[in-house]
């Protein structure tokens, strides 16, 4: 979402392949308001988001914050595609801190409940 982050990653970690779209990264504070007044094209924004989501599923490693629904969605889609939880790091947050007691989509399960579901599914396949 942030062009500076992309440039920093590429310059500091040149041995990695970075996947991202060539798309303006303006980081509007309120994207919905920006769409409403015509500053951002909602269709282009949606297509770019979906392309980024599909690119992210191919990542070898995830780094992010578990309080981000998008981050959790990427991990779960990668899990669905490959049948195992991808390796990931959770930055800045403790699993039980400030609203992170529930891990799944919109707080549907705890981390322990998620781990148990993964264990059950692994046994089935």
């Amino acid at each position: 979402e942030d062009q500076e982050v992309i440039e920093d990653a590429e310059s500091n970690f040149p041995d990695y392949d970075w996947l991202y779209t060539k798309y303006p990264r303006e980081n509007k504070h309120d994207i919905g308001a920006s769409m409403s007044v015509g500053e951002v094209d909602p269709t282009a924004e949606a297509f770019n988001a979906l392309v980024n989501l599909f690119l992210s599923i191919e990542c070898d490693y995830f780094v992010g914050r578990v309080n981000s629904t998008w981050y959790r969605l990427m991990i779960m889609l990668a899990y669905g595609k490959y049948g195992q939880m991808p390796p990931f790091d959770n930055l800045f947050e403790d699993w039980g801190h400030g609203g992170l007691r529930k891990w799944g989509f919109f707080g549907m399960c705890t981390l322990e409940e998620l781990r148990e579901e993964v264990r059950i599914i692994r046994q089935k396949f």
Side-chain angles (χ1 to χ4, degrees):
E1 295 177 3
D2 188 328
Q3 187 63 38
E4 288 180 20
V5 171
I6 291 172
E7 291 167 3
D8 181 63
E10 288 182 325
S11 66
N12 287 308
F13 304 98
D15 295 337
Y16 291 92
D17 292 323
W18 298 97
L19 303 176
Y20 57 90
T21 56
K22 301 284 186 186
Y23 188 80
R25 289 172 171 77
E26 299 176 26
N27 290 325
K28 300 286 186 182
H29 177 69
D30 185 339
I31 190 96
S34 297
M35 288 178 185
S36 295
V37 298
E39 294 175 351
V40 174
D41 177 3
T43 302
E45 195 69 23
F47 282 131
N48 183 62
L50 289 173
V51 168
N52 278 313
L53 183 60
F54 287 117
L55 283 174
S56 70
I57 296 167
E58 301 302 323
C59 290
D60 294 325
Y61 199 88
F62 293 85
V63 177
R65 297 176 74 167
V66 293
N67 67 343
S68 164
T69 302
W70 192 260
Y71 177 71
R72 295 189 311 266
L73 177 60
M74 290 186 307
I75 290 173
M76 296 306 286
L77 288 174
Y79 170 74
K81 182 174 182 178
Y82 295 109
Q84 62 185 20
M85 289 293 286
F88 63 92
D89 272 328
N90 174 34
L91 300 178
F92 305 121
E93 309 280 346
D94 182 339
W95 287 107
H97 174 71
L100 297 178
R101 290 175 193 87
K102 294 287 187 175
W103 192 84
F105 294 108
F106 305 104
M108 293 190 317
C109 67
T110 65
L111 179 60
E112 288 308 312
E113 290 167 339
L114 176 64
R115 286 182 176 149
E116 178 62 16
E117 288 299 316
V118 169
R119 187 189 66 72
I120 291 168
I121 291 170
R122 281 184 181 160
Q123 290 175 350
K124 291 181 181 179
F125 299 98

